């Protein structure tokens, strides 16, 4: 006969088993810290603030996003050194798209294809992203924008690694007080027989020839009339990237090469695609000569090969240039009166392009911005929570907040919102430019390709060699390096 | 049971107290005090040196997970036959030669000036010494802004005469001059300090005797001053040569090695190979070749120090 004591023991045991089973069936709340490497600038600072303000883990975890803000100039070296050292410090990384190959092949960036495919929410996000961003930020081996546009997620034979943290394009920043000045407009009309661009619609019709005229027209010596006053220092018409550091010249020159109908080495066609004969084709030479020909209308720092994106931003904010072509991500300080003397005088338009025979303008450019990726050493728990952070970041309401704070969204549905273009003054230009974006290489050897190319471009920019010599040297180097790497046969 | 002898007690200490006593014995105290420094030296210097030396014989890239394979001296051969390496060595030699000569001339003239007493000498001396106490990065940024052709002070000054902006860093020669001036500005005070130490050690009676003999300024310098400072000058030359040979920060900040590669020193090139291209083994081989050059220079330096000690003695 069973005693009361036996019955109690049985009952308690059954309850314990049931509790254990239940606990096993639901996720347990955990303290999770996600350390993310990120460049130190407004788009990532905003992400941290927004996360601390609004993120709630859907799995009930107590999650901390610990962002390691790294200054831009040392960003690549710091991330690369951390990964190579094996310290496994980061669970997520905001990465330049060009690094994908090097760090995927190194075994550091996690292949997210299966996780994306298995998760309907992530699948929906991938299908809503602009094809240019999926192509540049996520695929390795690299797939072209056209391939991604024709093959929505999940595309065949395609591996995906990243999501957009901040998609960036370059646009024109210009001085509305000068470009919409009646006297200046009349003088420009008289001199060049065309209207000085003032409104956004005017800038949609600006090609490189008009941009050149703007550069020549607004070159004023100290003391000469400028707008309603006089130039308090030497004043220049235009500026774009012409810097030896990192990828600065390459970003601008690639746009000229693509617009002229030329090509860089096409990694999507490896190993058949060649470098020699393509990189230094007649069209590419013509494009580089075109790029170089406009430097004479820019501030003299262009002649030193040090006119990078930050330098032109500074010169513009100091009121020394009438119009610059720079990344949207650098727009916010321009509108801050504490850092910019042209904060109340600035407007934004699409970047100029090359006019085609049919009268249309080709604005093809090199995409900027960064995706974020996950690292391979994350536990399942951390991976799931990191993907929760991705889903949170790419929620329409969070993305709209981000855009209102100076960021950009890569989601087509968010960009299609009628309110989008009015959130920040450069949004319309960004959306228009996004359709024109392509990307530079993503192969593991990209830094060597880039460094040698930057050196040769720098020689051309500083007048030591001509465009043909520069491109011949680049083509020769790339052919040899890529053959050695097995990427050209 | 027999009692343990004193010898046995020393050989087998009982408990923590016994071990401490054994450890702190007078004959072990010296090595014990030096041990932390030796450990730090081994961990921070010797081990990485040996490790990178080993790596230079393997085909290894730090950003790949491939297993390193032994390739012997292939990377030394590749480095020594690479025209880029020799080009960077030449650039380095030009910068080192120009900068050290300029530092010697300026340092020497400053030392001659400060060897005499004059009003506000101490304050001026402190100001002149300030550059060598600044960080390389500060000096680099300062000169980058100073040379900036749109708003930099140098360009503003020159343009008052020419009416055109002055673009110093736009040509290879100009960029090298810019680097050399920045380095000399920073380190001439160091040469001055060494030379000044030599000048104040010259016995005054020698000058008094020369005065009586109506010796010319040049003869006094050649026969009295120079012999006293020549070994210190040699020290300055060697020390500054070794340091300038490794010049990185100022170059990287002011020109990033440009225009093209006109100012890319061997140190900047090694950095690119190691941390941008991640050719770890090749950069290790290159670093050891540079180390060899520096060791040769250091031995010359030590020889000069020894000679100076003999002279003083």
């Amino acid at each position: 006969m069973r005693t009361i004591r036996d019955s109690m023991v049985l009952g308690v045991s059954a309850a314990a088993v049931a509790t254990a089973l239940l606990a096993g069936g639901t996720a347990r709340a955990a303290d999770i810290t996600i350390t993310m490497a990120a460049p130190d600038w407004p788009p990532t600072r905003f992400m941290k603030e927004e996360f601390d303000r609004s993120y709630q883990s859907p799995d009930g975890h107590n999650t901390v996003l610990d962002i390691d803000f790294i200054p831009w100039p040392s960003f690549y070296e710091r991330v690369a050194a951390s990964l190579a050292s094996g310290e496994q410090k980061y669970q997520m990384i905001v990465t330049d798209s060009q690094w994908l190959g090097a760090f995927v092949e190194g075994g550091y960036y996690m292949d997210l294809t299966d996780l994306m495919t298995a998760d309907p929410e992530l699948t929906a996000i991938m299908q809503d992203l602009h094809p240019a961003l999926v192509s540049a930020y996520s695929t390795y081996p690299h797939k072209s924008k056209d391939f991604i546009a024709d093959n929505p997620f999940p595309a065949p034979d395609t591996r995906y690694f990243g999501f957009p943290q901040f998609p960036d394009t370059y646009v024109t920043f210009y001085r509305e007080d000068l470009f919409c000045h009646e006297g200046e407009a009349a003088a420009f009309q008289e001199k060049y027989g065309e209207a000085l661009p003032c409104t956004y619609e005017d800038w949609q019709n600006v090609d490189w020839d008009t941009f050149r005229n703007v550069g020549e027209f607004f070159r004023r010596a100290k003391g000469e009339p400028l707008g309603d006053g006089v130039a308090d220092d030497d004043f220049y018409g235009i500026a774009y990237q012409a810097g030896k550091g990192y990828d600065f010249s390459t970003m601008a020159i690639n746009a000229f090469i693509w617009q002229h109908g030329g090509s860089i080495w096409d990694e999507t066609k490896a190993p058949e695609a060649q470098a020699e004969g393509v990189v230094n084709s007649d069209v590419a030479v013509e494009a580089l000569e075109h790029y170089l020909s406009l430097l004479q209308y820019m501030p003299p720092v262009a002649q030193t090969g040090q006119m990078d994106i930050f330098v032109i931003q500074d010169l513009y904010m100091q009121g020394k240039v009438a119009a610059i072509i720079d990344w949207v991500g650098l727009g916010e300080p321009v509108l801050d009166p504490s850092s910019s003397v042209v904060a109340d005088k600035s407007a934004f338009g699409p970047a100029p392009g090359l006019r085609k025979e049919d009268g249309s303008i080709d604005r093809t450019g090199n995409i900027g911005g960064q995706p974020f990726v996950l690292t391979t050493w994350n536990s399942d728990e951390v991976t799931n929570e990191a993907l929760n952070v991705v889903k949170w970041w790419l929620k329409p309401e969070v993305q709209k907040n981000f855009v209102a704070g100076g960021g950009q969204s890569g989601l087509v549905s968010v960009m299609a919102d009628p309110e989008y273009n009015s959130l920040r003054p450069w949004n319309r230009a960004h959306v228009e430019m996004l359709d024109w974006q392509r990307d530079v290489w993503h192969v593991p050897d990209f830094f060597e390709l880039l460094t040698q190319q930057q050196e040769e471009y720098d020689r051309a920019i500083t007048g030591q060699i001509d465009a043909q010599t520069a491109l011949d040297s680049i083509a020769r180097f790339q052919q040899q390096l890529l053959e050695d790497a097995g990427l050209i046969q | 049971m027999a009692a343990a002898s004193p010898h046995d007690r020393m050989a087998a200490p009982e408990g923590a107290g016994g071990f401490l006593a054994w450890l702190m014995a007078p004959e072990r105290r010296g090595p014990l005090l030096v041990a932390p420094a030796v450990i730090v030296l081994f961990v921070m210097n010797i081990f990485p040196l040996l490790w990178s030396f080993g790596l230079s014989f393997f085909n290894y890239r730090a950003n790949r997970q491939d297993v390193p394979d032994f390739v012997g001296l292939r990377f030394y051969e590749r480095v020594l036959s690479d025209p880029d390496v020799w080009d960077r060595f030449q650039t380095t030699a030009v910068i080192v030669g120009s900068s050290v000569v300029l530092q010697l001339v300026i340092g020497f003239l400053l030392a001659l000036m400060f060897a005499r007493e004059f009003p506000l000498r101490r304050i001026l001396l402190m100001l002149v010494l300030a550059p060598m106490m600044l960080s390389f990065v500060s000096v680099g940024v300062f000169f980058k802004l100073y040379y900036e052709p749109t708003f930099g002070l140098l360009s503003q000054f020159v343009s008052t005469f020419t009416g055109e902006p002055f673009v110093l860093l736009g040509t290879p020669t100009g960029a090298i001059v810019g680097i050399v001036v920045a380095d000399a500005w920073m380190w001439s005070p160091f040469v001055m300090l060494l030379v000044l130490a030599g000048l104040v050690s010259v016995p005054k009676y020698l000058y008094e005797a020369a005065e009586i003999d109506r010796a010319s300024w040049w003869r006094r310098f050649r026969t009295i001053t120079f012999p006293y400072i020549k070994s210190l000058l040699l020290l300055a030359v060697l020390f500054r040569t070794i340091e300038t040979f490794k010049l990185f920060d100022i170059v990287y900040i002011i020109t990033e090695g440009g225009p093209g590669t006109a100012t890319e020193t061997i140190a900047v090139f090694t950095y690119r190979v190691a941390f941008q291209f991640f050719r770890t083994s090749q950069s290790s081989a290159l670093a050891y070749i540079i180390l060899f050059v520096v060791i040769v220079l250091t031995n010359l330096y030590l020889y000069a120090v020894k000679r100076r000690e003999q002279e003083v003695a």
Side-chain angles (χ1 to χ4, degrees), chain A residues 224-463:
Chain A
E224 286 184 347
L226 180 69
D228 283 332
V230 292
D232 57 2
D233 204 347
D234 285 352
F235 190 79
Y236 298 87
I238 53 172
Y240 54 47
Q241 301 182 64
K244 180 176 185 282
Y246 193 40
D247 61 6
F248 299 123
S249 308
T250 294
M251 292 291 108
I253 293 169
N254 276 355
F256 277 84
I257 290 173
W258 286 324
Q259 289 170 19
H260 276 261
S263 179
I264 61 173
W265 172 70
D266 187 353
E267 63 183 308
T268 64
K269 294 183 180 136
E272 288 80 22
Q274 303 294 306
E276 283 195 305
V278 174
V279 173
N280 56 342
S281 67
D282 291 345
V283 174
V285 173
E286 185 189 330
L288 180 54
E289 281 170 348
H290 192 181
Y291 164 88
L292 295 171
S293 71
L294 298 183
L295 294 176
Q296 60 186 300
Y297 306 110
M298 301 188 189
V301 66
Q303 296 166 45
T304 67
Q306 295 187 7
M307 198 166 69
D308 62 37
I309 55 175
F310 306 108
V311 170
I312 55 179
Q313 182 202 30
D314 272 348
L315 290 169
Y316 181 76
M317 292 196 300
Q318 290 172 28
K320 294 188 185 300
V321 192
I324 63 167
I325 300 170
D326 214 342
W327 300 112
V328 161
L330 296 174
E332 208 60 47
V334 167
L335 300 184
D336 180 358
S338 67
S339 59
S340 168
V341 301
V342 294
D344 58 343
K345 303 177 179 120
S346 291
F348 302 84
L354 188 73
R355 197 173 294 279
K356 299 293 182 188
E357 284 179 3
D358 64 1
S360 65
I361 295 177
D362 184 339
R363 301 181 197 281
T364 308
N366 205 127
I367 197 163
Q370 294 78 35
F372 47 15
V373 296
L374 275 63
T375 46
T376 48
W377 43 81
N378 295 339
S379 66
D380 288 347
E381 190 175 52
V382 171
T383 298
N384 288 335
E385 188 58 9
L387 289 173
N388 284 336
V389 172
V390 170
K391 291 177 202 170
W392 161 81
W393 179 244
L394 294 172
K395 274 183 183 166
E397 60 270 27
V398 177
Q399 289 282 285
K400 270 190 194 170
N401 282 344
F402 182 42
V403 175
Q408 288 298 331
S409 177
L411 295 169
V412 174
S413 60
V414 173
M415 286 187 279
D417 188 322
E419 197 192 359
Y420 191 88
N421 285 353
S422 60
L423 287 173
R424 297 307 287 155
W426 44 73
N427 282 11
R428 188 176 170 193
H430 169 75
V431 173
E432 184 173 343
M433 289 301 295
L434 195 53
D435 287 336
W436 290 102
Q437 301 307 302
R438 298 171 65 172
D439 205 6
V440 71
W441 336 275
H442 304 75
V443 294
D445 309 273
F446 89 95
F447 218 113
E448 282 173 86
L449 296 174
L450 190 63
T451 301
Q452 193 268 351
Q453 179 165 287
Q454 287 286 112
E455 286 168 0
E456 294 305 316
Y457 284 159
D458 194 49
R459 285 192 175 99
I461 288 166
T462 54

Side-chain angles (χ1 to χ4, degrees), chain B:
Chain B
M1 196 169 87
S5 69
H7 177 78
D8 291 339
R9 279 200 298 274
M10 260 188 85
E14 289 171 13
F19 176 72
L20 204 61
W22 175 82
L23 196 66
M24 295 303 291
E27 68 270 23
R28 293 185 196 92
R29 216 171 282 160
L32 193 68
L33 289 170
V34 176
V38 171
I39 291 168
V40 169
L41 192 68
F42 183 80
V43 171
M44 304 299 289
N45 285 39
I46 297 170
F47 175 72
L49 270 174
L50 293 175
W51 187 261
S52 60
F53 187 61
L55 278 182
S56 67
F57 299 106
F58 285 82
N59 185 9
Y60 171 69
R61 298 179 75 150
N63 64 345
R64 307 277 172 91
Q65 294 189 332
D66 305 336
V67 178
D69 53 320
F70 184 75
V71 293
L73 293 169
R74 188 206 292 173
F75 285 114
Y76 287 90
E77 189 187 331
R78 185 177 292 180
V79 165
L80 290 171
S81 60
D82 184 351
D84 285 345
V85 171
W86 290 108
D87 176 69
R88 304 310 186 271
F89 267 121
Q90 280 177 32
T91 304
T92 308
V94 169
I95 291 175
V96 169
S98 315
S99 182
V100 172
V101 167
L102 195 60
Q103 287 169 44
L104 278 182
V105 172
I106 295 173
F108 188 77
L109 292 175
L110 284 171
L112 284 179
M113 187 175 94
F114 283 107
R116 299 171 183 185
E117 287 295 333
F118 57 87
L120 300 175
R121 176 181 174 274
R122 292 173 73 88
I123 293 169
L124 207 58
L125 189 61
M126 276 193 293
L127 287 174
V128 168
L129 286 175
M132 62 179 266
M133 296 169 195
L134 298 174
S135 76
F136 286 101
V137 174
S138 309
V139 173
V141 171
F142 168 72
F143 273 93
K144 189 183 173 89
L145 295 174
Y146 181 68
Y147 295 146
E148 211 287 329
T150 313
F151 53 80
L153 278 176
L154 181 65
S155 179
Q156 296 276 343
F157 175 73
V158 174
S159 66
T160 56
F161 300 103
T162 63
E164 290 293 322
F166 181 60
V167 189
L168 179 70
L169 303 179
T171 62
T173 309
I176 286 177
V177 169
I179 299 287
V180 166
V181 168
D183 191 50
W185 181 82
M186 190 174 183
W187 289 110
S188 294
F190 175 79
V191 177
M192 179 201 73
L193 271 187
L194 282 181
V195 176
L196 197 56
L199 287 177
V200 296
S201 70
V202 182
K204 282 205 169 56
Y205 68 85
L206 292 177
Y207 288 123
E208 287 163 5
E211 193 89 8
I212 291 164
D213 292 343
R214 290 173 172 262
S216 66
W217 178 88
W218 172 244
R219 188 169 173 81
R220 270 182 283 163
F221 173 76
R222 193 165 54 84
T223 55
I224 303 173
T225 310
F226 188 70
Y228 269 87
I229 62 168
K230 71 177 179 188
S231 55
L232 279 169
L233 271 178
L234 185 62
L235 271 181
V237 168
L238 285 169
F239 194 80
R240 288 309 311 145
T241 302
I242 292 167
E243 286 298 306
T244 313
F245 191 80
K246 298 182 290 179
L247 191 64
F248 176 87
D249 320 56
I250 287 177
V251 174
Y252 201 72
I253 291 168
I254 296 179
T255 65
E256 288 189 57
T261 54
T263 56
E264 193 167 284
T265 58
I266 194 68
V268 175
F269 181 72
T270 308
Y271 165 78
R272 286 199 198 287
V273 175
F275 298 109
Q276 292 186 335
F277 307 160
F278 276 95
R279 295 184 174 223
T280 313
S281 297
Q282 191 174 329
S283 62
S284 297
L286 181 54
Y288 270 89
I289 289 166
I290 295 170
L291 182 67
F292 174 76
V293 175
V294 171
I295 285 172
V296 170
L297 291 172
T298 308
N299 275 302
L300 285 171
Y301 173 80
L302 293 174
Y303 174 73
V305 171
K306 205 172 167 186
R307 271 192 62 181
R308 169 70 184 170
E309 281 170 356
Q310 284 167 352
E311 279 173 14
V312 171

Side-chain angles (χ1 to χ4, degrees), chain A residues 42-254:
Chain A
T44 49
R45 287 277 172 188
F46 178 89
M47 186 178 182
K48 171 66 176 160
E49 285 165 20
E50 187 68 13
F51 182 93
D52 292 344
R53 194 182 65 78
S54 72
Y55 181 75
Q56 293 287 329
S57 169
D59 294 336
H61 296 314
N62 179 23
T63 306
V64 173
L65 181 64
D66 178 17
I67 298 188
D68 185 6
F69 291 106
I70 302 168
W72 264 120
S74 59
F75 187 50
Y76 171 78
E77 281 86 350
R78 285 271 299 275
V79 171
S82 171
L83 295 176
S85 72
E87 66 173 352
Q88 303 190 346
K89 179 180 178 183
Y90 302 118
Q91 285 73 53
M92 294 179 81
I93 295 173
V94 175
T95 172
D96 255 1
S97 57
Q98 302 98 297
W99 309 355
L100 281 177
F103 296 139
V104 167
E105 296 290 350
Y108 307 120
Y109 289 178
M110 185 185 282
D111 184 343
L112 300 172
T113 314
D114 296 338
L115 291 168
M116 290 173 176
T117 312
D119 186 327
E121 209 176 331
L122 291 175
T123 299
I125 287 171
M126 292 302 288
Q127 289 172 346
D128 192 19
L129 287 172
H130 193 287
L133 301 177
V134 176
S135 162
Y137 291 176
S138 196
T139 63
Y140 181 78
H142 183 62
K143 302 288 183 181
S144 71
K145 182 180 73 177
D146 293 341
F147 175 86
I148 294 297
D150 295 340
N151 298 275
F153 181 86
D157 300 323
T158 305
R159 309 306 296 177
Y160 299 86
F161 293 85
F163 301 90
Q165 193 276 327
F166 172 60
D168 206 354
T169 56
Y170 54 63
V171 299
T172 304
F173 300 26
Y174 67 97
R175 289 273 298 271
E176 212 167 16
D177 62 319
L178 299 178
F179 283 88
C180 299
H181 187 272
E182 282 182 16
E184 298 286 2
F188 189 84
Q189 179 75 41
E190 189 183 341
K191 186 169 183 183
Y192 299 103
E194 62 176 330
L196 188 63
C198 166
T199 64
Y200 183 89
E201 287 71 24
D202 293 341
W203 278 95
Q204 284 180 308
N205 195 37
V206 171
D207 58 14
W208 291 121
D209 290 341
T210 305
F211 199 62
R212 174 219 164 273
N213 293 342
V214 165
E216 186 181 60
F217 178 73
F218 277 116
R219 174 72 181 95
R220 310 285 163 89
K222 184 178 178 179
E224 286 184 347
L226 180 69
D228 283 332
V230 292
D232 57 2
D233 204 347
D234 285 352
F235 190 79
Y236 298 87
I238 53 172
Y240 54 47
Q241 301 182 64
K244 180 176 185 282
Y246 193 40
D247 61 6
F248 299 123
S249 308
T250 294
M251 292 291 108
I253 293 169
N254 276 355

